[in-house]
Amino acid sequence: MQILASQTRKQQRVVQEAMQVALKGAQKSVWATTPYFFPPKKLRSAIINAAERGVEIHLMTAGKSDVLVMRWAARHIYDRFLTKGVRIYEMNQPSLHAKTVIIDDIYCTVGSYNFDIFSERNLEVNVAMVDGKVAKALKGQYERDLSNCVEVTLEQLRTAPLHQRALHWSAYQCCRLLSFLVLDHL
């Protein structure tokens, strides 16, 4: 077991770096839960590269969000992941707070890290472990949570009304701009 902590002010990005390394090492599967999905470039690349290697990737995120602009921005980038075979599910509960990752049914992490650019600025702490029993329990919960989700498809995104697609694009641009102003990078 490891305790991983990140804080930009101290130039520590341990959680993000550990997540990238874990994704690069994934061989079979990645099951991730995050309320906010707007990953920085390196994490985005790690997810896409894993999918291109044939790793089965499932991503559960909030369908009903307390930060709507993040949900809309995420919807703009879903296409990039769906075209690579990543399966994306949106939970339709009032809120999703879980932040978990299960890789190859053996490695797992639980904590405060969201797959978003703003988690790079916050103090984040995760517990990571190599434990098949814990991974199995987390995956069981993930599978139960899927019953409260709707899978997002490329067809849904591409046939969405123009005003929705414009809203998602605008939210994406706002989040990018905010990240440049606040974080000085994306």
Side-chain angles (χ1 to χ4, degrees):
M1 182 179 341
Q2 280 185 309
I3 305 297
L4 306 169
S6 293
Q7 185 175 21
T8 303
R9 280 173 270 185
K10 294 183 179 179
Q11 297 301 313
Q12 297 173 336
R13 291 188 174 90
V14 177
V15 178
Q16 298 88 328
E17 292 166 1
M19 197 71 66
Q20 290 166 27
V21 168
L23 286 163
K24 286 177 184 176
Q27 297 176 6
K28 296 183 291 181
S29 63
V30 175
W31 295 59
T33 305
T34 182
Y36 312 114
F37 185 72
F38 194 83
K41 281 185 181 181
K42 288 181 181 180
L43 188 54
R44 204 178 313 171
S45 294
I47 295 166
I48 289 171
N49 290 340
E52 289 176 336
R53 290 193 321 270
V55 175
E56 174 188 310
I57 300 179
H58 296 256
L59 171 67
M60 185 183 304
T61 189
K64 295 181 179 179
S65 178
D66 57 341
V67 185
L68 280 175
V69 71
M70 287 297 289
R71 178 177 182 255
W72 297 333
R75 282 207 143 224
H76 179 71
I77 63 170
Y78 280 175
D79 188 274
R80 298 175 196 178
F81 298 92
L82 293 170
T83 58
K84 300 299 182 183
V86 174
R87 296 183 74 180
I88 300 174
Y89 307 91
E90 290 183 335
M91 183 177 272
N92 287 320
Q93 295 287 320
S95 61
L96 171 67
H97 290 291
K99 296 149 185 104
T100 65
V101 178
I102 307 133
I103 297 179
D104 295 338
D105 296 326
I106 188 77
Y107 175 85
C108 51
T109 180
V110 178
S112 63
Y113 181 74
N114 288 296
F115 277 63
D116 72 358
I117 54 177
F118 302 105
S119 278
E120 287 198 355
R121 184 153 177 27
N122 300 331
L123 172 61
E124 303 289 358
V125 178
N126 273 29
V127 175
M129 62 202 87
V130 176
D131 188 320
K133 207 172 183 179
V134 173
K136 183 178 180 178
L138 285 172
K139 191 170 181 182
Q141 183 61 54
Y142 192 106
E143 290 170 337
R144 287 187 294 281
D145 289 342
L146 282 174
S147 67
N148 295 314
C149 294
V150 173
E151 187 166 4
V152 179
T153 66
L154 277 171
E155 183 180 349
Q156 288 171 341
L157 294 177
R158 292 179 177 170
T159 60
L162 181 59
H163 72 278
Q164 279 184 358
R165 288 182 284 150
L167 176 67
H168 300 162
W169 179 85
S170 298
Y172 171 78
Q173 298 304 331
C174 287
C175 286
R176 284 188 66 218
L177 179 61
L178 186 58
S179 74
F180 283 118
L181 296 173
V182 173
L183 302 174
D184 235 9
H185 64 83
L186 176 61

